[in-house]
Short mmCIF file of all heavy atoms in Angstrom, two decimals:
data_model
loop_
_atom_site.label_atom_id
_atom_site.label_comp_id
_atom_site.label_asym_id
_atom_site.label_seq_id
_atom_site.Cartn_x
_atom_site.Cartn_y
_atom_site.Cartn_z
N LYS A 4 -95.91 -54.25 -45.17
CA LYS A 4 -96.93 -53.94 -44.18
C LYS A 4 -98.18 -54.76 -44.51
O LYS A 4 -98.63 -54.77 -45.65
CB LYS A 4 -97.24 -52.46 -44.21
CG LYS A 4 -97.96 -51.97 -43.01
CD LYS A 4 -98.00 -50.47 -43.00
CE LYS A 4 -98.51 -50.00 -41.68
NZ LYS A 4 -98.61 -48.57 -41.61
N SER A 5 -98.74 -55.44 -43.50
CA SER A 5 -99.96 -56.22 -43.74
C SER A 5 -101.18 -55.45 -43.25
O SER A 5 -101.11 -54.71 -42.29
CB SER A 5 -99.86 -57.58 -43.05
OG SER A 5 -99.83 -57.38 -41.66
N PHE A 6 -102.29 -55.66 -43.95
CA PHE A 6 -103.54 -55.01 -43.59
C PHE A 6 -104.55 -56.07 -43.17
O PHE A 6 -104.51 -57.19 -43.65
CB PHE A 6 -104.10 -54.24 -44.79
CG PHE A 6 -103.21 -53.10 -45.21
CD1 PHE A 6 -102.34 -53.25 -46.27
CD2 PHE A 6 -103.24 -51.91 -44.53
CE1 PHE A 6 -101.52 -52.21 -46.65
CE2 PHE A 6 -102.43 -50.86 -44.91
CZ PHE A 6 -101.57 -51.01 -45.98
N GLY A 7 -105.48 -55.71 -42.29
CA GLY A 7 -106.51 -56.65 -41.87
C GLY A 7 -106.46 -56.88 -40.37
O GLY A 7 -105.75 -56.21 -39.62
N PHE A 8 -107.24 -57.86 -39.95
CA PHE A 8 -107.36 -58.19 -38.53
C PHE A 8 -106.81 -59.57 -38.29
O PHE A 8 -106.93 -60.47 -39.12
CB PHE A 8 -108.83 -58.16 -38.09
CG PHE A 8 -109.48 -56.83 -38.27
CD1 PHE A 8 -110.37 -56.61 -39.31
CD2 PHE A 8 -109.22 -55.79 -37.39
CE1 PHE A 8 -110.99 -55.39 -39.47
CE2 PHE A 8 -109.83 -54.56 -37.55
CZ PHE A 8 -110.72 -54.35 -38.60
N THR A 9 -106.30 -59.77 -37.11
CA THR A 9 -105.85 -61.10 -36.73
C THR A 9 -107.05 -61.88 -36.18
O THR A 9 -108.08 -61.30 -35.82
CB THR A 9 -104.75 -61.04 -35.66
OG1 THR A 9 -105.32 -60.49 -34.47
CG2 THR A 9 -103.56 -60.21 -36.14
N LEU A 10 -106.90 -63.16 -36.11
CA LEU A 10 -107.97 -64.00 -35.58
C LEU A 10 -108.25 -63.66 -34.12
O LEU A 10 -109.40 -63.64 -33.69
CB LEU A 10 -107.58 -65.48 -35.71
CG LEU A 10 -108.62 -66.49 -35.22
CD1 LEU A 10 -109.91 -66.34 -36.01
CD2 LEU A 10 -108.08 -67.89 -35.32
N MET A 11 -107.23 -63.32 -33.37
CA MET A 11 -107.40 -62.96 -31.96
C MET A 11 -108.24 -61.69 -31.82
O MET A 11 -109.13 -61.60 -30.98
CB MET A 11 -106.04 -62.77 -31.29
CG MET A 11 -106.15 -62.48 -29.82
SD MET A 11 -107.00 -63.78 -28.91
CE MET A 11 -105.64 -64.86 -28.59
N GLU A 12 -107.99 -60.70 -32.65
CA GLU A 12 -108.77 -59.47 -32.60
C GLU A 12 -110.24 -59.74 -32.94
O GLU A 12 -111.15 -59.20 -32.29
CB GLU A 12 -108.20 -58.43 -33.59
CG GLU A 12 -106.85 -57.90 -33.16
CD GLU A 12 -106.18 -57.07 -34.25
OE1 GLU A 12 -106.44 -57.33 -35.46
OE2 GLU A 12 -105.39 -56.17 -33.89
N LEU A 13 -110.49 -60.55 -33.94
CA LEU A 13 -111.87 -60.91 -34.29
C LEU A 13 -112.56 -61.67 -33.17
O LEU A 13 -113.74 -61.44 -32.88
CB LEU A 13 -111.89 -61.73 -35.58
CG LEU A 13 -111.61 -60.96 -36.86
CD1 LEU A 13 -111.54 -61.91 -38.04
CD2 LEU A 13 -112.66 -59.90 -37.08
N MET A 14 -111.87 -62.55 -32.49
CA MET A 14 -112.45 -63.32 -31.39
C MET A 14 -112.79 -62.41 -30.21
O MET A 14 -113.80 -62.60 -29.54
CB MET A 14 -111.51 -64.44 -30.94
CG MET A 14 -111.34 -65.53 -31.98
SD MET A 14 -112.89 -66.27 -32.49
CE MET A 14 -113.41 -67.07 -31.01
N ILE A 15 -111.98 -61.40 -29.96
CA ILE A 15 -112.26 -60.44 -28.88
C ILE A 15 -113.53 -59.66 -29.21
O ILE A 15 -114.40 -59.47 -28.35
CB ILE A 15 -111.05 -59.51 -28.65
CG1 ILE A 15 -109.90 -60.30 -28.03
CG2 ILE A 15 -111.43 -58.33 -27.78
CD1 ILE A 15 -108.59 -59.53 -27.95
N VAL A 16 -113.68 -59.23 -30.45
CA VAL A 16 -114.88 -58.49 -30.86
C VAL A 16 -116.12 -59.38 -30.74
O VAL A 16 -117.16 -58.95 -30.23
CB VAL A 16 -114.72 -57.95 -32.31
CG1 VAL A 16 -116.04 -57.43 -32.85
CG2 VAL A 16 -113.67 -56.88 -32.35
N VAL A 17 -116.02 -60.63 -31.16
CA VAL A 17 -117.15 -61.56 -31.06
C VAL A 17 -117.52 -61.79 -29.59
O VAL A 17 -118.70 -61.82 -29.23
CB VAL A 17 -116.82 -62.88 -31.78
CG1 VAL A 17 -117.84 -63.96 -31.44
CG2 VAL A 17 -116.77 -62.67 -33.28
N ALA A 18 -116.54 -61.91 -28.73
CA ALA A 18 -116.80 -62.12 -27.30
C ALA A 18 -117.49 -60.89 -26.70
O ALA A 18 -118.44 -61.02 -25.92
CB ALA A 18 -115.50 -62.41 -26.56
N ILE A 19 -117.05 -59.71 -27.06
CA ILE A 19 -117.67 -58.48 -26.54
C ILE A 19 -119.12 -58.38 -27.02
O ILE A 19 -120.03 -58.08 -26.25
CB ILE A 19 -116.85 -57.23 -26.94
CG1 ILE A 19 -115.52 -57.22 -26.18
CG2 ILE A 19 -117.63 -55.95 -26.69
CD1 ILE A 19 -114.55 -56.16 -26.65
N LEU A 20 -119.35 -58.68 -28.30
CA LEU A 20 -120.72 -58.65 -28.83
C LEU A 20 -121.61 -59.70 -28.15
O LEU A 20 -122.79 -59.45 -27.88
CB LEU A 20 -120.71 -58.86 -30.34
CG LEU A 20 -120.17 -57.70 -31.17
CD1 LEU A 20 -120.10 -58.07 -32.65
CD2 LEU A 20 -121.00 -56.47 -30.96
N GLY A 21 -121.05 -60.84 -27.87
CA GLY A 21 -121.80 -61.89 -27.17
C GLY A 21 -122.21 -61.47 -25.77
O GLY A 21 -123.33 -61.71 -25.33
#
Side-chain angles (χ1 to χ4, degrees):
K4 197 170 190 182
S5 66
F6 296 99
F8 299 105
T9 65
L10 181 60
M11 184 59 86
E12 291 170 331
L13 287 175
M14 292 304 294
I15 290 171
V16 169
V17 168
I19 290 171
L20 289 176

